[in-house]
Amino acid sequence: SKATVSVLNWPLALTRVLTMYGDSFDDDDNDRGRGGYEKLRNEQEQRQQQRQYDTHGLAVDAAIAEEKARAARDIEVGVNEIAAMQNEISAMVEEQGAELTQVHDNVQSAHTKTEGGVASLQKANKSARSARKWKCVGVVIILVATVVVIIVMSTNKS
């Protein structure tokens, strides 16, 4: 914990600090006091440098973490886009499959109707031939009947 030291109490505070680090500060032992003071000062400078490094290190770590988070979000967005594209492609393939099935059914239906049409045309052709025969027979019968009527009428007149 940090304690505020007034200007008047600094020797007492320095003694406490030096005592914490294993040195004592006596007024009659100046060499040792200076050594303790120098040691304290060096330790304070080291702590200050460590704090600066820690602050800078934390900032760097935070920047790295932020960059990793941004990269993870970018990857997540990319994966979501790919998933959406895959869903769209699946829907298109399914739709095209349904359309292909419908086209196949239509072709099958057209084939069946074409076969039915060919059969109907063959039947109509056969019926037309048969009808022609009957027409010819009918015409021949009418001609024969007409000739017979003409002959009968001409024999009756004479």
Side-chain angles (χ1 to χ4, degrees):
S1 70
K2 295 182 180 179
T4 306
V5 178
S6 69
V7 176
L8 297 176
N9 290 333
W10 74 267
L12 179 62
L14 184 59
T15 304
R16 286 182 186 159
V17 169
L18 291 175
T19 303
M20 286 182 355
Y21 291 103
D23 284 330
S24 63
F25 184 74
D26 295 333
D27 286 334
D28 38 310
D29 191 5
N30 284 339
D31 290 339
R32 185 172 179 180
R34 267 190 232 125
Y37 178 74
E38 290 296 320
K39 182 178 177 185
L40 177 64
R41 195 165 134 183
N42 287 340
E43 287 175 358
Q44 286 176 343
E45 287 176 7
Q46 286 176 351
R47 274 194 226 106
Q48 180 66 24
Q49 289 174 352
Q50 184 65 36
R51 269 188 249 125
Q52 287 175 351
Y53 174 76
D54 287 347
T55 303
H56 178 69
L58 290 174
V60 169
D61 289 346
I64 290 171
E66 185 178 327
E67 183 62 30
K68 285 181 180 180
R70 188 177 313 124
R73 284 190 303 271
D74 290 346
I75 289 171
E76 181 182 6
V77 167
V79 167
N80 288 339
E81 288 174 356
I82 289 171
M85 284 188 269
Q86 182 180 6
N87 289 338
E88 289 175 15
I89 290 171
S90 294
M92 289 170 52
V93 166
E94 189 174 312
E95 183 179 312
Q96 288 177 352
E99 288 176 5
L100 186 60
T101 302
Q102 185 179 8
V103 167
H104 180 267
D105 291 344
N106 288 343
V107 167
Q108 193 71 23
S109 174
H111 177 69
T112 304
K113 288 180 181 180
T114 303
E115 285 179 343
V118 167
S120 294
L121 286 174
Q122 288 173 344
K123 186 177 176 183
N125 189 19
K126 189 176 178 182
S127 294
R129 280 191 210 146
S130 178
R132 264 188 249 133
K133 277 186 200 177
W134 287 111
K135 281 182 187 177
C136 287
V137 170
V139 170
V140 170
I141 291 175
I142 292 175
L143 280 175
V144 170
T146 306
V147 171
V148 170
V149 170
I150 291 177
I151 293 177
V152 170
M153 287 182 94
S154 70
T155 47
N156 277 343
K157 261 186 183 189
S158 6

